[in-house]
Amino acid sequence: MKIELAVLPGDGVGPEVVAEAVKVLGAVGQRFGHEFNMRYGLVGGASIDQSGTALTAETLHMCQDCHAVLLGAVGGPRWDDPLATVRPEDGLLALRKELRLFANLRPVKVFPMLADSTTIKPEVVKGVDMVVVRELTGGLYFGKPKKRWTTSRGRRAVDSMVYTEKEIERILRVGFEIARRRSKKLVSVDKANVLESSRLWRQIAIELSAEYPDVELEHMLVDACAMRLIQRPADLDVIVTENTFGDILTDEASMLAGSLGMLPSASLAGVPGAGKSITFGMYEPIHGSAPKRAGQNMANPIATILSCAMMLRYSFGLETEAEAVEKAVASVLERGYRTYDIVERGKASIGTREMGDLITTAVRG
Ligand code: IPM
Ligand code: MG
């Protein structure tokens, strides 16, 4: 297969973790006979520094010309002034919106050999294997009005949680489809006891469930879900929720896997596996740019490498290749190698490049 891949390393540790993922993809290409043509672009702070905007039309067009996008991370203290008119995060949000990546899949799977490196009791995280389906192009992130102004009685700001029926239905459908292929249980998370948008969400979920009689639908309030995630996480399988709730819940859920540095994500423009079997997508670790760790060969590249496995699966239909990457990661962890974020106290850790090299070698087989 010939694959055109847009690569946007971004800021902070982004370039370091992306470099390792690119190595791994090179090994996948060699072993399975695929050709990856990587086209690099700037996004986030790196783009602001060069052109004053977090995403140029040129980078956006390059992404639109490719089959998929691999992204590192954006942001950092240099661009964090609350009064700044451009922010690195704007680049990421614009990519999500412009590329219509409404479905964000965030699997949370605990590698058994890491059960001891979480801050939660090993018996609680044992067997955790869930996927959070987060709506990615609506809600508070994009709703209008969204502004800050000064009144005679002081400063004010507003963000709006806006959802249309169409937006809610298409993301719920992704949840139902994924649940159908897994445990057939879907938990729809909302705040229907307070928010009008959540009440619409819940109503549409109930209507849609008629089309999925084989899937058991449960509604959960977001605060209860936050509790459930650390109380009995192994009982959860597929969660579907709106943008902001999904953002918060997935950082929380990442702690089950031991580190934010372990969790991959796929942001898709369609329902995975529906109609055309491949879907345009952007793949990125869920962690941020970790500016304090940047340039030190410290960051854990596993989240980005596992994001590439998701890319192979969802954007190219290459299941065997995806599994080869996941197995390579598991085998390196099995042999005891750890980056700083997942190492047990008192034990030695390895760097970003070393972890990337070990996984690359394991992929070669
Ligand atoms: C994430 C991140 C982003 C988000 C930030 C960087 C804008 O936290 O992907 O979860 O809030 O969506
Ligand atoms: Mg987040």
Side-chain angles (χ1 to χ4, degrees):
M1 198 169 188
K2 251 186 127 162
I3 295 167
E4 295 285 325
L5 185 61
V7 181
L8 311 178
D11 309 319
V13 299
E16 293 168 72
V17 292
V18 163
E20 301 314 309
V22 165
K23 271 195 231 164
V24 171
L25 284 176
V28 169
Q30 261 179 12
R31 172 163 163 202
F32 296 94
H34 305 298
E35 198 183 309
F36 289 93
N37 182 30
M38 316 283 181
R39 294 164 63 181
Y40 285 83
L42 296 176
V43 69
S47 177
I48 293 176
D49 287 349
Q50 203 187 63
S51 51
T53 154
L55 177 71
T56 61
E58 187 193 344
T59 302
L60 176 63
H61 291 150
M62 182 190 80
C63 294
Q64 285 164 332
D65 277 348
C66 286
H67 299 117
V69 182
L70 174 63
L71 187 134
V74 297
R78 277 178 53 210
W79 307 282
D80 253 355
D81 178 359
L83 296 174
T85 49
V86 281
R87 303 179 54 81
E89 289 78 5
D90 297 342
L92 181 60
L93 299 181
L95 275 170
R96 290 173 178 172
K97 193 75 175 174
E98 295 294 331
L99 300 173
R100 300 189 173 83
L101 306 170
F102 68 90
N104 184 215
L105 271 42
R106 298 188 160 184
V108 182
K109 197 170 174 171
V110 174
F111 284 91
M113 52 285 198
L114 292 185
D116 282 330
S117 52
T118 84
T119 52
I120 299 168
K121 291 196 184 111
E123 63 267 28
V124 174
V125 300
K126 198 169 151 247
V128 166
D129 179 2
M130 70 177 94
V131 46
V132 179
V133 180
R134 169 188 175 195
E135 201 290 324
L136 204 59
T137 52
L140 282 176
Y141 279 59
F142 297 95
K144 298 269 167 55
K146 182 183 200 64
K147 62 175 180 173
R148 195 153 43 142
W149 74 103
T150 306
T151 72
S152 55
R153 281 182 290 162
R155 287 170 289 177
R156 282 194 191 183
V158 62
D159 292 285
S160 308
M161 192 183 279
V162 182
Y163 271 108
T164 66
E165 176 170 2
K166 198 176 133 232
E167 286 172 323
I168 296 174
E169 192 196 307
R170 67 182 178 182
I171 193 68
L172 284 168
R173 230 175 244 293
V174 173
F176 276 109
E177 292 290 337
I178 292 178
R180 182 169 260 181
R181 279 176 258 140
R182 293 175 51 115
S183 68
K184 303 197 184 327
K185 282 192 194 144
L186 177 64
V187 175
S188 170
V189 173
D190 61 37
K191 187 71 187 171
N193 53 347
V194 177
L195 302 176
E196 208 49 58
S197 56
S198 280
R199 287 192 272 271
L200 178 61
W201 178 285
R202 194 174 278 216
Q203 195 182 351
I204 294 172
I206 292 166
E207 287 161 13
L208 208 55
S209 70
E211 287 183 42
Y212 297 89
D214 51 325
V215 177
E216 187 190 315
L217 171 67
E218 183 188 347
H219 306 281
M220 205 180 280
L221 296 174
V222 63
D223 45 354
C225 183
M227 184 181 71
R228 185 67 75 80
L229 269 174
I230 48 173
Q231 183 195 33
R232 272 184 287 126
D235 290 357
L236 293 162
D237 189 53
V238 184
I239 292 175
V240 61
T241 192
E242 71 85 42
N243 204 346
T244 305
F245 298 162
D247 178 45
I248 298 168
L249 292 178
T250 51
D251 263 32
E252 186 190 6
S254 76
M255 285 298 101
L256 303 168
S259 162
L260 210 48
M262 293 297 298
L263 290 203
S265 85
S267 304
L268 305 176
V271 181
K276 306 178 290 188
S277 68
I278 62 163
T279 313
F280 181 85
M282 180 161 85
Y283 299 84
E284 54 175 314
I286 89 156
H287 65 71
S289 61
K292 283 197 196 126
R293 310 287 179 196
Q296 298 177 60
N297 191 37
M298 274 183 93
N300 184 351
I302 290 180
T304 314
I305 291 169
L306 290 174
S307 300
C308 291
M310 294 187 84
M311 173 197 298
L312 294 165
R313 175 172 293 128
Y314 294 119
S315 281
F316 307 120
L318 300 172
E319 183 60 34
T320 313
E321 287 81 343
E323 280 172 24
V325 172
E326 287 161 352
K327 280 192 195 130
V329 169
S331 79
V332 170
L333 291 173
E334 193 64 61
R335 280 149 57 208
Y337 295 106
R338 303 281 186 269
T339 41
Y340 84 94
D341 56 319
I342 48 175
V343 78
E344 277 173 60
R345 201 181 294 205
K347 295 219 174 126
S349 59
I350 61 171
T352 313
R353 281 192 295 276
E354 291 68 33
M355 184 57 96
D357 286 340
L358 284 162
I359 297 170
T360 305
T361 308
V363 166
R364 287 207 190 98

